Amino acid sequence: MLEVRELEAAYGKIRVLWGASFRVAAGETVAILGANGAGKTTILKAVAGLLPPLAGSITFRDQEIARLPPHQVARRGLALVPEGREIFPDMSVYENLLLGGRLQPSRRGVMDTLAWVYTIFPRLRERARQTAATLSGGEQQMLAIARALMSRPHLLLLDEPSTGLAPTAVETIFGVVKTLGAQGATTLLVEQNVHLALEIADRAYVLERGRIVLDGEARQLRDHPLVREAYLGLPVSRPPAGNSR
Ligand code: ATP
């Protein structure tokens, strides 16, 4: 579905990604883990067309998309939920969702998708007429994800969905990502909350200073010494698993 090879990116003279490679297969939930400033958001920006990479290739559904503008990437079926959520605060929940469906060709398709989105987020159905600004932080994150789902994307990109949310809201959001995964959705998730991310992901990559340093099945990575010590704050107790780079 998505294959990223040797991705390099910079902001002006500040190089942030130094040859990051990873892939997401159809139906997988894949997490990119890393500390503050490791370059996780930058990876998503490059994939979504918001930051043209310096070098490397990004293949999405067998087509090269590196350097395509964001609207063309979106048209190919890739939806980004940015960390800042970027919903329209003065519009109702319903209006925000309809905007998310604008790439769909038929109104019938939009309404069918809306009905499906409401089954995933019943809270949004209850709040359909409320303006987005009056939603709680957790509900705004739900709306941002729901709006992205309204385009029926082939691949959902989630940037730090847990940031700034109360624990119960985080639980709800991650529960939804898990449900989507069980329904066959393909998701690339960027997260600082390593513990939660490894609970819902099938596979994960660890990014350090713009380089992938480790990858593997999520349940193997939970036991990897680097992950246990540096990201989970746990003592090292078991032999290494996963593929060190
Ligand atoms: P966080 O979890 O804090 O969001 P991250 O892993 O997502 O971290 P990025 O946001 O990708 O990290 O940032 C990687 C590096 O690039 C950081 O050192 C950051 O300061 C720098 N950076 C990010 N955006 C810009 C920008 N617009 N201009 C200049 N430097 C930037």
Side-chain angles (χ1 to χ4, degrees):
M1 168 85 63
L2 179 76
E3 174 105 42
V4 172
R5 285 193 213 97
E6 298 295 325
L7 188 65
E8 298 183 24
Y11 298 100
K13 288 192 174 147
I14 305 167
R15 178 74 80 92
V16 174
L17 298 178
W18 300 83
S21 300
F22 61 94
R23 68 188 163 79
V24 184
E28 271 192 318
T29 299
V30 172
I32 295 182
L33 313 172
N36 255 326
K40 304 180 298 298
T41 298
T42 305
I43 286 187
L44 293 191
K45 280 188 186 166
V47 171
L50 296 165
L51 180 73
L54 289 178
S57 80
I58 305 172
T59 315
F60 179 53
R61 304 181 75 220
D62 300 324
Q63 288 186 319
E64 181 61 43
I65 59 161
R67 292 167 200 87
L68 282 187
H71 66 276
Q72 284 193 24
V73 175
R75 278 195 184 278
R76 282 162 206 245
L78 198 147
L80 169 68
V81 180
E83 194 177 351
R85 294 166 202 155
E86 292 173 20
I87 52 179
F88 296 101
D90 299 330
M91 289 184 167
S92 70
V93 166
Y94 174 74
E95 288 164 337
N96 267 280
L97 292 174
L98 286 193
L99 272 177
R102 72 194 177 286
L103 291 177
Q104 287 205 40
S106 76
R107 185 164 172 85
R108 173 78 196 272
V110 173
M111 288 305 155
D112 287 351
T113 309
L114 186 65
W116 168 64
V117 161
Y118 280 155
T119 63
I120 294 174
F121 294 106
R123 182 81 63 88
L124 294 181
R125 187 201 298 271
E126 292 162 20
R127 310 240 184 264
R129 302 283 155 205
Q130 205 168 312
T131 55
T134 62
L135 297 175
S136 71
E139 289 162 353
Q140 289 188 9
Q141 182 63 271
M142 289 179 203
L143 178 56
I145 296 173
R147 195 180 60 179
L149 292 176
M150 284 298 297
S151 66
R152 290 265 183 193
H154 294 293
L155 174 63
L156 185 65
L157 305 179
L158 295 180
D159 194 357
E160 307 260 5
S162 73
T163 300
L165 300 186
T168 52
V170 173
E171 223 169 85
T172 306
I173 298 289
F174 275 71
V176 162
V177 177
K178 207 168 177 177
T179 302
L180 290 171
Q183 291 186 6
T186 312
T187 303
L188 176 61
L189 167 80
V190 150
E191 242 322 311
Q192 272 188 60
N193 190 328
V194 172
H195 177 72
L196 275 176
L198 289 179
E199 260 180 32
I200 60 163
D202 299 307
R203 289 188 304 112
Y205 294 83
V206 177
L207 186 72
E208 282 187 358
R209 291 180 296 278
R211 291 182 174 89
I212 303 283
V213 295
L214 183 69
D215 72 274
E217 301 279 326
R219 69 183 114 77
Q220 290 181 332
L221 287 184
R222 279 199 289 261
D223 292 334
H224 192 283
L226 171 76
V227 175
R228 287 180 68 86
E229 238 184 327
Y231 295 97
L232 295 172
L234 295 168
V236 175
S237 59
R238 299 189 195 183
N243 313 313
S244 289
R245 302 266 169 129

